[in-house]
Amino acid sequence: MEKIQEIWFENERIYMLSVSGKVFSRPLEAFPALKDADFVQRQKFYIWGNGEYVRWKELDEDLSVESFFDSTEPNYNNEVARIFNRCPWLSVKEVAKFIGMPKAVLDRFIYGIWQPKEEVMSVIKNGIKSMSQELLQAVS
C-alpha cells in the first residue's frame, strides 16, 4: 500500500510523492475545493492516518492515497460544460444549491471528471429551466 510522503501543486495539478518514491498526479478539476482555493489555502494541509490521507481543514477537504490512482482527466466537451459555457452568467454555486446538489459534484460534471447519469442530467436541466421560469415570473 502506497503512503503519502509529500504533496505539492504545479501547473493546475496536485502531486503526491509516495514513501516508495513514486509520483502520482491528478488535475485540480478532480478536487474542486482545491481548484477554487488560493495558493495559501492549498499549502495548509497535513498528512494523517499513517500517511494514507491528506487534509485541508480550512477547506474541509480530505484525499486518500487512492484518490491519486484514478487517471480520469478533464473533458470539457460534455453536455453540462456546454450548458454553463453557453450561459456564463449562471452561477454554478447557485444552480447547485437550487437543485440540491453539492457544488463540488456539479463542478466535476462540468469538468468532465464525472459523467452524470440520465436522471441526474434531467435534474440539472430541469433545475435550470425552473430557475428560468422563476426569473420570468419575477420580471413579469
Side-chain angles (χ1 to χ4, degrees):
M1 172 81 169
E2 296 288 347
K3 301 208 183 263
I4 301 167
Q5 179 176 324
E6 186 179 342
I7 296 289
W8 72 97
F9 298 87
E10 191 176 304
N11 299 322
E12 293 300 305
R13 297 183 74 81
I14 181 172
Y15 290 84
M16 177 194 71
L17 173 66
S18 71
V19 294
S20 67
K22 294 179 184 172
V23 175
F24 299 89
S25 169
R26 298 284 289 131
L28 287 179
E29 288 89 345
F31 312 109
L34 296 175
K35 182 166 179 55
D36 292 345
D38 63 33
F39 176 83
V40 173
Q41 290 172 312
R42 289 180 189 161
Q43 301 311 308
K44 294 180 184 177
F45 65 86
Y46 58 92
I47 299 168
W48 65 281
N50 197 25
E52 293 182 32
Y53 303 95
V54 60
R55 170 132 180 93
W56 288 263
K57 185 176 182 180
E58 182 179 333
L59 302 174
D60 193 24
E61 181 77 359
D62 295 275
L63 302 182
S64 67
V65 169
E66 287 83 16
S67 302
F68 290 91
F69 301 156
D70 185 354
S71 61
T72 306
E73 291 292 321
N75 175 8
Y76 291 96
N77 186 20
N78 68 74
E79 189 172 10
V80 182
R82 285 191 291 276
I83 291 168
F84 281 88
N85 285 335
R86 185 169 178 195
C87 307
W89 59 87
L90 280 176
S91 163
V92 175
K93 179 181 177 181
E94 293 304 319
V95 171
K97 184 177 166 184
F98 189 85
I99 64 176
M101 178 181 289
K103 179 185 178 292
V105 171
L106 186 55
D107 280 335
R108 285 180 178 102
F109 292 146
I110 292 168
Y111 301 143
I113 295 294
W114 292 353
Q115 303 301 314
K117 294 180 180 177
E118 190 175 321
E119 59 269 15
V120 173
M121 193 67 215
S122 291
V123 168
I124 294 168
K125 287 179 174 179
N126 290 334
I128 293 171
K129 287 176 187 175
S130 182
M131 291 175 81
S132 300
Q133 291 167 351
E134 284 193 27
L135 183 58
L136 280 173
Q137 288 175 359
V139 297
S140 298

